Amino acid sequence: MSDPVDPMRTPGRWFVTTASGAAYLIEATDPDGTVTATRVVAGPVGDDLRFPRAALRRDDQPLRVMGVQHLSGTTMSNGIVVGQDMWLYLEPLDPAAALTLRRTTPVVGVAQLPTVVSDR
């Protein structure tokens, strides 16, 4: 198992790909500590036909992240790990919800991206 990448505690930008071919841009660079996840739908589907990719609400839009975890044995642990499903605790996407939980197919890659410099 690889070391977890924990955007809730480490600033940076990561491109995370999953077995279904879904890709997420995870950004933890905002000065106020906000972490966002954008599910990017462009690109090919994954090689594993057991994991079809579906359209989800607010694809291609940054969503505020409240937590990122993976299952480590029988315990939920913080961060993203290659080979494990990623659990994203997101801002509510339904007005009646307290939060939205998205569980991905197994993560197949985590690439660190350069930090974007803002003119603000």
Side-chain angles (χ1 to χ4, degrees):
M1 182 187 311
S2 62
D3 289 334
V5 172
D6 190 353
M8 303 309 291
R9 291 179 175 74
T10 306
R13 298 174 70 233
W14 300 270
F15 191 73
V16 179
T17 52
T18 70
S20 69
Y24 289 83
L25 173 60
I26 310 287
E27 297 182 284
T29 57
D30 197 300
D32 68 4
T34 300
V35 177
T36 61
T38 305
R39 185 172 183 263
V40 182
V41 294
V45 296
D47 294 332
D48 194 331
L49 298 178
R50 295 176 300 161
F51 302 121
R53 186 171 65 194
L56 298 177
R57 273 185 290 192
R58 295 183 50 190
D59 277 345
D60 291 319
Q61 296 177 32
L63 301 172
R64 189 169 40 91
V65 176
M66 294 138 120
V68 180
Q69 294 189 315
H70 66 280
L71 188 60
S72 178
T74 59
T75 305
M76 294 302 288
S77 297
N78 293 330
I80 305 162
V81 174
V82 172
Q84 300 295 318
D85 295 1
M86 177 172 61
W87 298 64
L88 291 167
Y89 301 86
L90 303 170
E91 66 180 275
L93 300 184
D94 181 307
L99 65 86
T100 296
L101 173 62
R102 284 194 180 163
R103 177 183 178 185
T104 71
T105 56
V107 171
V108 296
V110 179
Q112 187 157 14
L113 301 173
T115 302
V116 176
V117 178
S118 173
D119 291 340
R120 293 189 261 170

